[in-house]
Amino acid sequence: MNFDLSEEHQLIRETVREFAEREIKPVAQELDEKAEFSTTLTKRMGELGLFGMYLPEKYGGQGLDTLSYIIAVEELARIDGSQAATLAAHNSLGIGPLYYYGTEEQKLKYLPRLCSGEALWSFGLTEPGAGSDSRGSKTTAEIQDDEWVINGSKIFITNGASDINMGCTVQAVSGEKDGKKQFTTILVDGDTKGFKRVPMHNKMMWRASDTAELFFDDVRVPKANLLGEIGQGSKIMLATLDAGRLSIAAMGLGAAQGAYELALAYAKERKQFGQPISKFQINSFKLADMAMKIELARNLLYKACWLKDEGRPFGLESAMAKLYCSEIAKEVADEAVQLHGGYGLMKDYAVERFYRDQRLLQIGEGTSEIQRLVISRYIGC
Amino acid sequence: MKILVLIGNVPDTTTKIKFNADNTAIDASGVQWIINPWDELALTRAIELKEAHGAAIEKIVVANVGRSETEATLRKALAVGADEAIRIDADPLDALYVATQLAAVAADYDLILAGIENADYNGTAVGGMLAELLNRKSVSAVSGIDLEGDLLKISREIDGGAQQLSMSLPLLAVVQKGIAKEPRIPAMRGIMMARKKPLNVIAAADAEALTAFEYFELPPAKAACKMVEEDQAASLIRILHEEAKVL
């Protein structure tokens, strides 16, 4: 067994950390306060090659492995959840399905631009009435005159409505088979008539990431915009979420790491009763627990990545990693605020942002409850 | 034209330095190693020159005297944009030793760039010594460098101003801050390409170190900071006068 990261993974970590420290950290608080999506930072991520990291070069990717990508998300989340969200969603939900299920023509048409950071693509799954119960989707797609006609709406769609959004992979009900709804995924370009993208405001967390509501009103796209096969929608969705879970886990791990580092630094500096508060056992034990949880989370997540990179099943481990990393992010951020005392409640202290940003992670891309359901099915309950 | 950039492998500048048991060397455990910041700027400028002048610059090579654990640092230099790397397999004992090792590989290069100091032991002598060993002209404290035809336009910071020079190749320039705006962050593509770029390991030449470290000392711990309430100006003046004795 070898737990050492390769020299290359190490260099990727240092590189993304440098980018996050140098270019994201100075603006993170302001973007959060203004709830402003940054196309500048998104373009920089593209320049550095953070989009499509695991794709071959011919599609504009970098030919790296899953672990490289996960390390990149982790390092951004260590500084800012919003930017990590942009990166994770675009890679896992925007680029992922196109790469895994697109035809060669579709890949060459979309992927190079999406990998460059010039344009973003979203994945339309959740609906106002269909969250954990994704089979409750009401958005429909039917073929009329050799075109798909789509009607319905989607909600909470990351990267769905910014100025550089180029379109969406939408999951829709395309019919019924054996009394069951049949789902199909279809590519919808942003400028298609009847397709409306509306940014959602007043979020508690990820305020500098772009979240959208999407409306489809008799949207017509060519039949060739079918992604995968008719009726393959559920499979594509489930596979996309399996991989997406790794990136949400990475966001949890990175958020925990960032909050822990802030807490440790603060506890060593802040003096009460004549000594640094890190010297009080109740605080040092909290920090020790944080360090332990982060170590466990990282080992679990990297193992899931390793399984995926080895081409082995990783669904169970990715659900476990998503659940564990997001839950420890909550615990660590909570104690990190506690260690900051009153200052932890002030927006001038980054830990306050970490406390808010982590809260999505137990909800998005499968709630903690759904992860437990997934795990319990894997273990045969 | 071929450019050689000398690369020091130093602890990250935010590292809390500890020494080994007899205080004769840095305790390397848990230390994050980086490209010496001045060398990183030199490399950045070399890459900028190559980008601006294309064919005039045939290649950029980075060189380091160190053991295999310094290869990660060289690999980063390759990821940032150097074309090849050379590692001379030896412990960098002192400045003359390092310069002697580098002299064995540096003669072919038209322009050699060395950082003005090393962030680990504050060494400053390798660049100058290497120029001497190669019997080549050198210029120090360079804060700007550009190529104009066959000549290098060089600016140096001098007391109270700047000096502009025009120099011919071959040349060794010892560079300082200002030579490039800020170091580059490598792109993922660069990291992938670095894997395929040559990193040549060369056996050390016979050479002797003329100096040896006896021991190191850490600076005394900083005295506690004394806070004075904002409306207590008189008290601040008294403390500065009587205790700190700076007034």
Side-chain angles (χ1 to χ4, degrees), chain A residues 258-322:
Chain A
Y260 159 72
E261 286 177 26
L262 291 171
L264 180 63
Y266 185 82
K268 281 159 85 168
E269 209 172 81
R270 169 74 171 171
K271 285 191 178 138
Q272 289 289 279
F273 306 104
Q275 59 175 331
I277 60 169
S278 64
K279 295 289 174 203
F280 296 111
Q281 199 175 57
I282 192 155
N283 293 330
S284 62
F285 280 15
K286 277 179 187 178
L287 289 158
D289 282 347
M290 288 183 191
M292 176 184 67
K293 287 171 183 174
I294 291 167
E295 182 71 16
L296 285 169
R298 184 170 287 120
N299 283 335
L300 177 55
L301 174 57
Y302 287 9
K303 183 186 168 189
C305 295
W306 175 79
L307 286 169
K308 182 166 189 283
D309 284 332
E310 291 283 307
R312 286 158 62 170
F314 66 100
L316 170 63
E317 289 76 6
S318 80
M320 285 178 167
K322 195 271 183 187

Side-chain angles (χ1 to χ4, degrees), chain A residues 7-8 10-12 14-16 18-20 22-23 44 47-50 53 57 60-64 72 271, chain B residues 32-34 40 68 71-72 75-76 79 182-196 199 224:
Chain A
E7 199 179 78
E8 198 170 273
Q10 200 57 44
L11 186 50
I12 288 168
E14 283 166 32
T15 300
V16 181
E18 206 174 337
F19 164 64
R22 220 203 272 173
E23 300 183 32
R44 277 293 286 145
E47 281 167 16
L48 290 175
L50 301 182
M53 283 175 79
E57 285 184 34
Q62 312 297 333
L64 292 162
K271 285 191 178 138
Chain B
Q32 169 79 37
W33 298 90
I34 60 167
E40 197 175 15
S68 60
E71 284 189 5
R75 199 63 76 183
K76 176 167 181 192
E182 55 179 14
R184 293 224 176 157
I185 298 174
M188 295 301 124
R189 181 70 44 89
I191 294 176
M192 288 292 286
M193 280 162 60
R195 201 194 275 173
K196 294 172 200 145
L199 194 164

Side-chain angles (χ1 to χ4, degrees), chain A residues 38-327:
Chain A
S38 169
T39 48
T40 314
L41 286 177
T42 307
K43 281 184 184 147
R44 277 293 286 145
M45 291 180 209
E47 281 167 16
L48 290 175
L50 301 182
F51 295 129
M53 283 175 79
Y54 56 94
L55 265 57
E57 285 184 34
K58 71 167 170 172
Y59 303 125
Q62 312 297 333
L64 292 162
D65 58 8
T66 309
L67 183 57
S68 304
Y69 160 50
I70 286 309
I71 288 173
V73 175
E74 177 192 342
E75 286 300 326
L76 291 198
R78 177 179 162 268
I79 297 297
D80 182 26
S82 291
Q83 305 310 323
T86 303
L87 179 71
H90 188 47
N91 270 310
S92 293
L93 307 179
I95 290 172
L98 269 163
Y99 170 58
Y100 289 116
Y101 298 97
T103 61
E104 189 63 13
E105 203 185 331
Q106 288 170 337
K107 288 190 216 186
L108 291 171
K109 178 179 172 193
Y110 293 106
L111 291 175
R113 279 194 71 194
L114 298 181
C115 290
S116 74
E118 260 176 77
L120 294 172
W121 194 265
S122 66
F123 186 68
L125 173 65
T126 300
E127 294 186 8
S132 292
D133 177 17
S134 66
R135 298 198 67 82
S137 294
K138 291 203 175 77
T139 299
T140 58
E142 52 178 333
I143 298 179
Q144 286 177 12
D145 309 326
D146 261 6
E147 284 181 324
W148 286 104
V149 182
I150 304 164
N151 279 290
S153 69
K154 299 286 174 182
I155 196 167
F156 304 133
I157 307 305
T158 307
N159 290 339
S162 75
D163 293 344
I164 56 171
N165 171 272
M166 194 177 145
C168 168
T169 303
V170 59
Q171 196 201 44
V173 183
S174 56
E176 261 191 41
K177 203 180 171 187
D178 309 328
K180 273 187 172 173
K181 277 185 190 169
Q182 188 187 48
F183 291 95
T184 296
T185 42
I186 299 162
L187 308 175
V188 181
D189 286 353
D191 54 7
T192 312
K193 202 179 150 213
F195 178 33
K196 212 165 99 190
R197 298 164 287 177
V198 182
M200 296 176 76
H201 297 297
N202 286 329
K203 282 181 293 180
M204 176 177 88
M205 46 7 90
W206 291 13
R207 289 171 55 80
S209 93
D210 167 39
T211 308
E213 255 185 295
L214 307 178
F215 299 94
F216 303 85
D217 184 11
D218 273 333
V219 171
R220 290 176 166 267
V221 298
K223 228 167 120 184
N225 280 25
L226 170 70
L227 182 72
E229 293 161 24
I230 293 177
Q232 212 188 10
S234 288
K235 188 183 149 202
I236 292 177
M237 183 264 294
L238 289 172
T240 301
L241 291 184
D242 268 354
R245 275 173 197 143
L246 296 174
S247 59
I248 293 283
M251 292 191 62
L253 173 60
Q257 178 74 36
Y260 159 72
E261 286 177 26
L262 291 171
L264 180 63
Y266 185 82
K268 281 159 85 168
E269 209 172 81
R270 169 74 171 171
K271 285 191 178 138
Q272 289 289 279
F273 306 104
Q275 59 175 331
I277 60 169
S278 64
K279 295 289 174 203
F280 296 111
Q281 199 175 57
I282 192 155
N283 293 330
S284 62
F285 280 15
K286 277 179 187 178
L287 289 158
D289 282 347
M290 288 183 191
M292 176 184 67
K293 287 171 183 174
I294 291 167
E295 182 71 16
L296 285 169
R298 184 170 287 120
N299 283 335
L300 177 55
L301 174 57
Y302 287 9
K303 183 186 168 189
C305 295
W306 175 79
L307 286 169
K308 182 166 189 283
D309 284 332
E310 291 283 307
R312 286 158 62 170
F314 66 100
L316 170 63
E317 289 76 6
S318 80
M320 285 178 167
K322 195 271 183 187
L323 177 62
Y324 188 70
C325 293
S326 63
E327 295 209 335

Side-chain angles (χ1 to χ4, degrees), chain B residues 7-9 24-26 28 33 64-71 87-102 118 120-121 126 201-213:
Chain B
I7 296 288
N9 176 62
T24 52
I26 290 177
W33 298 90
N64 159 257
V65 176
R67 298 297 184 186
S68 60
E69 58 272 16
T70 67
E71 284 189 5
R87 178 172 70 81
I88 300 169
D89 189 29
D91 292 312
L93 299 174
D94 69 2
L96 183 62
Y97 182 85
V98 169
T100 308
Q101 298 301 336
L102 290 167
N118 245 24
D120 49 4
Y121 301 109
V126 171
V201 181
I202 292 177
D206 266 344
E208 230 181 311
L210 297 185
T211 59
F213 293 130

